[in-house]
Amino acid sequence: MFNGRILVATDGSELSGKAVTAAVKLASALRAELVAFTVLPVYPYSRIGESSGIAAESHQAQAGAEASERLTQVERIARDAGVSCHTSMLEDDEPFRAIIAAAEKHDCGLIVMASHGRRGARALLLGSETQRVLAHTTRPVLVVR
């Protein structure tokens, strides 16, 4: 049963912007709280031999700043629509796991996210974080294209 809290996952892309718009409209109509969520990428060279701590620190600082900006934009959109919005981010090299963990942590009754709608061999080869969320969560997911 829907509990009044919606998690919207954003990566800052134009397509995830459509998911944010849909989530804000839905939260407004349902008088629900919104949890804006984004995933911080793991430093890609941390598992490959020696890597510079300074480079990793710089990478994470930049990624964190970009993630904060994405969340600030969602907060602004929600506030302008009169929707209560909280933000959250997690670092993970598999975004689908972080999205599901955030939905559980914040006790969200619905996950809203975008999908590129890839089909056939391209979908099989590239995969989809949305498909992975759908396959691994028991929570309802609204997919926006």
Side-chain angles (χ1 to χ4, degrees):
M1 174 142 246
F2 180 69
N3 68 357
R5 195 167 296 125
I6 299 169
L7 181 129
V8 61
T10 181
D11 62 5
S13 68
E14 184 178 329
L15 188 56
S16 73
K18 290 180 181 181
V20 167
T21 300
V24 169
K25 286 179 181 178
L26 186 59
S28 179
L30 297 174
R31 299 176 193 230
E33 291 179 59
L34 193 64
V35 177
F37 178 75
T38 195
V39 180
L40 282 170
V42 175
Y43 181 62
Y45 305 109
S46 62
R47 295 185 187 138
I48 304 174
E50 297 278 328
S51 76
S52 165
I54 294 170
E57 212 173 278
S58 174
H59 175 270
Q60 289 311 103
Q62 181 178 348
E66 291 170 1
S68 292
E69 178 56 31
R70 287 193 296 270
L71 296 176
T72 297
Q73 288 175 358
V74 177
E75 273 185 311
R76 192 175 313 120
I77 293 165
R79 183 183 60 240
D80 290 348
V83 172
S84 173
C85 181
H86 309 280
T87 63
S88 179
M89 66 175 87
L90 289 174
E91 181 180 13
D92 202 317
D93 57 354
E94 294 191 84
F96 83 93
R97 286 192 316 204
I99 292 166
I100 293 169
E104 291 171 0
K105 176 183 176 184
H106 297 286
D107 193 29
C108 296
L110 176 66
I111 299 170
V112 178
M113 59 190 304
S115 175
H116 291 280
R118 293 183 182 105
R119 300 199 188 291
R122 190 169 182 203
L124 185 63
L125 292 173
L126 295 175
S128 162
E129 294 306 320
T130 305
Q131 289 173 337
R132 290 179 182 116
V133 168
L134 288 166
H136 291 92
T137 189
T138 58
R139 295 175 192 273
V141 180
L142 173 63
V143 179
V144 177
R145 290 191 182 162

